[in-house]
Amino acid sequence: QVQLVESGGGSVQAGGSLRLSCDASGYTAYFSSCMGWFRQAPGKEREGVAAVYTSGGRTYYTDAVKGRFTVSRDNAKKLVYLQINALKPEDTAMYYCAAKQAYCGDMLLVDDFTDWGQGTQVTVSS
């Protein structure tokens, strides 16, 4: 049963922007959960890039994306967003929404997240 559904990916040129969405309306443990965004490029490990704690809104960003990525949430709709600006070719990856019933903490570790979406592809051309 899929509880997290990503959308908003696509093919863009470097310098462009995208807003990814994660529909968590089917995720019953949404409140008081950390909603994270991860990405996985071909041949590379999955890495966490941003997260938001649904109750309170505290955010976390990995250093590589600070200043370009913005994570937010709409609790009324159970939607989580990832705004990506100034896209670079190295941002090309499958982007995943994930959740864990805990605070986000200082690091986003794949193994800590229990629920995952199917992913949405982001491709950036130079």
Side-chain angles (χ1 to χ4, degrees):
Q1 182 180 357
V2 177
Q3 301 184 76
L4 303 174
V5 181
E6 303 93 336
S7 62
S11 296
V12 297
Q13 289 190 329
S17 298
L18 283 174
R19 188 177 79 159
L20 308 184
S21 298
C22 174
D23 184 348
S25 57
Y27 185 61
T28 58
Y30 174 84
F31 293 101
S32 298
S33 288
C34 177
M35 304 298 297
W37 285 98
F38 291 75
R39 67 183 180 185
Q40 187 167 19
K44 295 187 177 181
E45 293 187 353
R46 193 170 298 189
E47 62 171 349
V49 294
V52 59
Y53 188 64
T54 56
S55 299
R58 184 171 181 177
T59 58
Y60 165 89
Y61 299 94
T62 190
D63 287 343
V65 305
K66 284 181 180 177
R68 296 193 300 120
F69 288 28
T70 303
V71 62
S72 61
R73 89 277 190 229
D74 182 337
N75 285 350
K77 298 179 180 179
K78 291 188 177 181
L79 289 169
V80 181
Y81 303 103
L82 184 67
Q83 177 70 39
I84 310 175
N85 297 326
L87 277 157
K88 304 175 181 181
E90 50 263 43
D91 293 322
T92 295
M94 185 71 80
Y95 283 72
Y96 298 90
C97 176
K100 63 175 180 177
Q101 297 178 53
Y103 291 110
C104 293
D106 295 329
M107 295 181 67
L108 296 182
L109 302 177
V110 171
D111 290 345
D112 289 345
F113 285 75
T114 55
D115 295 87
W116 292 83
Q118 300 296 310
T120 186
Q121 177 69 37
V122 171
T123 303
V124 185
S125 58
S126 58

